[in-house]
Amino acid sequence: MSTEVKTPTLTGAKPRNMWGVTGVPTGNLYVPMPAVIEKIIVETPDTKTFRLRLEDPKHAEWFTWEPGQFVELSVFGAGEAPIGFASSPLERSWFELTIVNRGKVTGLMHELKEGDRVGIRGPLGNCWPLEAIKGKDILIISGGCGLAPLRPAILYILANRQDYGEFWLLYGARTPADINYKYDLVEWEKRDDFHVLQTVDVGDESWTGNVGVVTTLLDQVKLDAANAVALTCGPPIMIKFATLALVKMGFSEDRVVTSLERYMKCGVGKCGHCCVNHVYLCTEGPVFTYAQLQEFPETRA
Amino acid sequence: MNVGDKLILRKSNVSDFFSSLQGEMQLIAPKKRFAGDVVFDVVNSPEEIVWEYGHDIYPPGKRYIFPHYEDMFSYRRGEQISIDVAAEAPKQAIVAIRSCDVTAVRFQERFFSTPIVDPFYKARAENTVLFSLVCNEPPKKECFCICCDGGPYLETGFDVQLTDLGDRFLYEIGSEKGLRASEPRQQYLEPSSEQDIAERKRIELHADSLFQTASYIAKAIIYITSDEVPDEVWEELGSTCFRCAACTNLCPICTCYTVDDRPEPDGSFTRCRSWDSCQYAGFTREASGHNPRPTFGSRVKRRFYHKASFQYIMRDGRHGCVGCGRCVSSCLTKLDLPSVVKKIRRAMHDYIEPKSRPTAFLQ
């Protein structure tokens, strides 16, 4: 086991939020900034990725974000929903949001076309501790559309590959048709410095890869748990079993980092929907270490 | 005239005083309605103010500063999206508001300004002056403010505090805002004598003696912070809840809200916020169907965790109960703070050995 001092910065990643020093360019926290849909990429039958550009150049100049943060997306005529950034943080002129067609807001969002307008409030929340984990081996475990909030982190790490050690991605989807970012996964699998393992819960005729839940892939991972950090995001049941498996592998509880999801309205710590015990996910989360989560009895599964 | 002054407002001058104030802002005060009900409403003249009333079940401070429905902005879809932010908040004075409701307003003001300032709440709160009225006796048998540090009179936190001394009010100025509302009406105010202060003290002591002494909130803090109340107890308590959300809607402290886009007849939309309740099953249900608080028990536990856990006390500066008694008089199945504390206490005896109870160190 490692005798190294714990890295407190892991839990202290605090990016600039929309209520930061300079204030919000719209003058009111609750008023969204208009954005144009530049491009729509169909990922799976129920998932699309929307490339958005803020319409007002002043807003675009003010708008900077970190991997792991999210925005409140206003679909005019339906309402707001919290959506995580899904594109490379190095690209500053546009950003992408990957959206599953599930509810009222996302349903109307899926009907929009390129050139239509939506509203953006953000960036909100804290971020993946990418600075603090430099030099460490990285293991990413993600399930379904849980790959979306991790994609900015993956693209950032790949762009700064020399700053990080071994790099593993385990990705599970329900069926081969539900795999997001197939175009990225193809490119990533070609790289020598990035180990990508995929699995599906249920295969089909053309699927030749792994079948089973994502935690079954952990046997194939060759990592020194003492010098590694795990980032996870996915359905609650996946996060639970992945976390337990990682702890069993020897990951310390403050080296397992996860991004939680809650129903959310305001995004600025007022409406009360996203509270986990006494913590407001929208301002103090959504990224927590497993050690932190132990302090919130409501997340104990 | 200074903050901290204790003056006298003769009852013969009350009408002139508030008529003059009405020239600057709208007056909201207890007013007789149908069938003898007294509720807070905008009064047209100070004669309509009912100074001796019980308790308005609809919390006036929350109602006029954080309204049940509040339009945030309206927008119009089209080539360009045009957004109009809601108009400025009206200037208003809430007169004869009870101490517990003033304490709750201060709680909400703190919540809505730390760490992030809510612009809509701030605009309304800044334009509101509170003229609170000391309770010479508990207005209702459900009141337990004395146990929750919510009343029946205030030491700090009021803008202006009035105490009924028979033919006159003791008029205390507690804030800059109260001072600004008082200064233009100096001619109606006169200095108080030592006798007035002594009379006030007598009223305080008398009012204190009329409350039942019970330490509901202290027990609730211990039980809930310890997190040792078994889930079975919460489920048992929650099994009687039929999620009408009266407890949270009538609570003068509860701040949770939801946001909706309301279509208007002219084709525009209004983004509107309205009170929401953690007692509803849909409060935490996500689009995927996953619900982190799936049971009645978990939601009832949530409500009391927010009211009385030490973690929230550290966040908000005080516990989330002012003892106004509204949940006591509204909950049909007795899931109010005093009853729940009593029930937990009884249940803990059945579930937990005395030596492992959170209060064991006291014995």
Side-chain angles (χ1 to χ4, degrees):
Chain A
M1 285 297 292
S2 162
T3 53
E4 195 193 301
V5 181
K6 284 181 180 174
T7 47
T9 40
L10 256 192
T11 60
K14 279 217 166 145
R16 195 190 75 168
N17 282 317
M18 62 179 282
W19 54 85
V21 190
T22 50
V24 196
T26 55
N28 186 318
L29 281 177
Y30 293 115
V31 175
M33 300 178 277
V36 186
I37 301 176
E38 284 202 324
K39 190 179 170 189
I40 299 175
I41 305 157
V42 179
E43 302 282 354
T44 74
D46 65 353
T47 309
K48 286 178 184 173
T49 294
F50 296 85
R51 181 172 297 177
L52 303 174
R53 186 175 47 77
L54 289 175
E55 224 176 345
D56 189 328
K58 266 186 280 171
H59 294 172
E61 194 188 326
W62 176 87
F63 191 79
T64 60
W65 53 274
E66 304 287 334
Q69 288 194 283
F70 62 96
V71 293
E72 279 284 348
L73 170 74
S74 282
V75 180
F76 294 114
E80 276 189 314
I83 311 282
F85 288 104
S87 55
S88 169
L90 305 170
E91 181 55 66
R92 289 295 175 191
S93 59
W94 48 261
F95 57 93
E96 288 175 346
L97 305 176
T98 296
I99 298 167
V100 185
N101 184 354
R102 274 280 163 73
K104 189 174 133 194
V105 175
T106 53
L108 188 59
M109 184 72 186
H110 270 245
E111 290 174 22
L112 296 183
K113 295 179 292 294
E114 286 169 16
D116 285 344
R117 280 169 180 80
V118 293
I120 292 293
R121 286 196 300 124
L124 301 164
N126 65 356
C127 58
W128 299 110
L130 293 175
E131 283 300 314
I133 61 178
K134 275 192 174 155
K136 301 266 186 295
D137 295 342
I138 314 288
L139 169 60
I140 290 183
I141 305 182
S142 108
C145 53
L147 188 56
L150 280 162
R151 187 167 171 243
I154 295 170
L155 293 171
Y156 179 86
I157 292 171
L158 290 178
N160 300 279
R161 192 64 193 83
Q162 70 286 352
D163 292 339
Y164 298 89
E166 291 283 296
F167 190 21
W168 288 77
L169 167 67
L170 312 186
Y171 179 55
R174 265 170 304 170
T175 67
D178 290 315
I179 294 174
N180 286 325
Y181 312 119
K182 294 191 184 78
Y183 43 92
D184 274 346
L185 287 162
V186 169
E187 293 299 315
W188 294 343
E189 280 185 325
K190 285 182 197 157
R191 293 182 69 128
D192 305 330
D193 55 357
F194 188 18
H195 310 282
V196 179
L197 298 178
Q198 294 184 61
T199 182
V200 294
D201 293 349
V202 185
D204 61 14
E205 315 76 69
S206 60
W207 181 256
T208 55
N210 300 297
V211 175
V213 293
V214 72
T215 42
T216 56
L217 300 176
L218 278 170
D219 299 339
Q220 303 176 41
V221 175
K222 292 171 205 69
L223 270 181
D224 176 16
N227 189 41
V229 173
L231 312 179
T232 69
C233 185
I237 191 83
M238 187 220 87
I239 293 186
K240 181 188 164 188
F241 283 105
T243 307
L244 295 177
L246 287 166
V247 172
K248 216 171 160 188
M249 272 177 77
F251 281 81
S252 67
E253 288 176 353
D254 61 340
R255 295 279 186 83
V256 179
V257 188
T258 188
S259 176
L260 295 184
E261 184 189 47
R262 283 289 185 275
Y263 185 56
M264 223 175 256
K265 282 288 181 187
C266 71
V268 291
K270 302 296 174 205
C271 80
H273 286 83
C274 69
C275 280
V276 178
N277 281 61
H278 57 285
V279 165
Y280 289 80
L281 217 71
C282 58
T283 53
E284 287 143 83
V287 177
F288 295 104
T289 63
Y290 182 50
Q292 282 177 304
L293 292 183
Q294 304 273 13
E295 290 167 25
F296 312 143
E298 282 200 331
T299 56
R300 271 180 221 150
Chain B
M1 219 179 224
N2 291 306
V3 174
D5 279 2
K6 292 179 198 298
L7 304 161
I8 287 292
L9 174 62
R10 300 218 162 265
K11 284 196 175 167
S12 52
N13 282 335
V14 163
S15 188
D16 291 339
F17 179 91
F18 285 106
S19 292
S20 161
L21 187 68
Q22 202 167 22
E24 291 172 24
M25 55 188 80
Q26 65 176 3
L27 293 188
I28 291 154
K31 180 179 170 182
K32 253 205 178 72
R33 299 291 293 273
F34 310 107
D37 282 353
V38 176
V39 293
F40 276 79
D41 202 348
V42 177
V43 293
N44 300 316
S45 82
E47 278 79 29
E48 287 180 2
I49 301 174
V50 181
W51 289 96
E52 284 177 20
Y53 73 106
H55 202 222
D56 187 357
I57 191 82
Y58 198 173
K62 175 164 151 178
R63 179 182 175 187
Y64 288 99
I65 306 177
F66 175 52
H68 201 149
Y69 294 94
E70 182 171 29
D71 292 347
M72 299 163 91
F73 58 85
S74 61
Y75 62 81
R76 201 168 267 285
R77 288 192 291 182
E79 268 303 290
Q80 296 289 322
I81 302 286
S82 58
I83 294 176
D84 292 318
V85 181
E88 290 259 307
K91 275 184 97 69
Q92 58 190 8
I94 305 182
V95 182
I97 183 174
R98 296 289 185 198
S99 306
C100 51
D101 289 331
V102 175
T103 310
V105 168
R106 296 296 173 245
F107 178 100
Q108 290 198 336
E109 272 181 3
R110 188 180 190 277
F111 172 79
F112 277 115
S113 60
T114 44
I116 300 159
V117 179
D118 184 292
F120 297 109
Y121 190 93
K122 186 174 168 235
R124 282 183 195 274
E126 277 180 352
N127 283 348
T128 305
V129 189
L130 302 175
F131 286 77
S132 65
L133 180 64
V134 167
C135 299
N136 291 17
E137 54 189 57
K140 278 190 126 180
K141 65 179 190 308
E142 290 91 350
C143 292
F144 59 101
C145 59
I146 198 162
C147 130
C148 293
D149 198 20
Y153 46 84
L154 296 168
E155 304 296 341
T156 54
F158 53 87
D159 294 328
V160 173
Q161 179 165 251
L162 302 168
T163 312
D164 193 336
L165 302 179
D167 62 341
R168 62 203 188 281
F169 286 110
L170 183 70
Y171 186 104
E172 295 167 86
I173 301 170
S175 73
E176 288 293 326
K177 220 186 323 179
L179 185 65
R180 280 198 296 277
S182 311
E183 266 175 341
R185 278 158 286 281
Q186 283 190 17
Q187 69 269 32
Y188 303 116
L189 301 166
E190 44 196 272
S192 61
S193 65
E194 271 180 31
Q195 201 191 335
D196 294 323
I197 307 295
E199 174 66 3
R200 160 68 199 272
K201 192 74 197 165
R202 196 193 60 74
I203 287 172
E204 276 180 19
L205 293 173
H206 179 63
D208 283 356
S209 71
L210 294 175
F211 283 91
Q212 293 177 11
T213 48
S215 55
Y216 302 123
I217 195 73
K219 288 205 182 79
I221 293 167
I222 294 170
Y223 287 140
I224 287 155
T225 306
S226 70
D227 198 35
E228 279 170 13
V229 182
D231 281 347
E232 293 92 323
V233 174
W234 288 116
E235 291 304 335
E236 187 70 32
L237 287 167
S239 66
T240 61
C241 173
F242 52 92
R243 55 182 192 216
C244 68
C247 51
T248 52
N249 280 339
L250 297 179
C251 180
I253 274 189
C254 276
T255 50
C256 290
Y257 64 82
T258 185
V259 183
D260 285 302
D261 285 21
R262 185 180 68 222
E264 302 289 356
D266 67 351
S268 67
F269 288 83
T270 303
R271 182 157 293 169
C272 155
R273 73 175 175 191
S274 54
W275 298 348
D276 203 351
S277 173
C278 55
Q279 302 303 293
Y280 293 138
F283 188 72
T284 50
R285 195 193 298 123
E286 293 156 24
S288 64
H290 171 69
N291 193 344
R293 283 186 216 119
T295 62
F296 282 92
S298 61
R299 295 191 285 269
V300 170
K301 181 181 178 183
R302 165 68 199 168
R303 180 173 144 231
F304 286 97
Y305 186 89
H306 200 160
K307 294 276 170 235
S309 70
F310 181 68
Q311 287 86 342
Y312 268 107
I313 295 173
M314 293 301 282
R315 275 192 91 98
D316 296 330
R318 64 164 288 147
H319 51 76
C321 181
V322 291
C324 69
R326 286 188 177 90
C327 54
V328 186
S329 44
S330 65
C331 184
L332 297 177
T333 63
K334 294 258 168 289
L335 286 171
D336 52 82
L337 188 96
S339 307
V340 165
V341 167
K342 282 181 209 157
K343 285 177 188 171
I344 290 179
R345 189 152 177 260
R346 214 168 301 148
M348 294 288 272
H349 283 265
D350 298 343
Y351 274 98
I352 298 181
E353 287 292 305
K355 62 176 185 311
S356 53
R357 268 180 225 144
T359 47
F361 66 92
L362 295 171
Q363 280 139 24

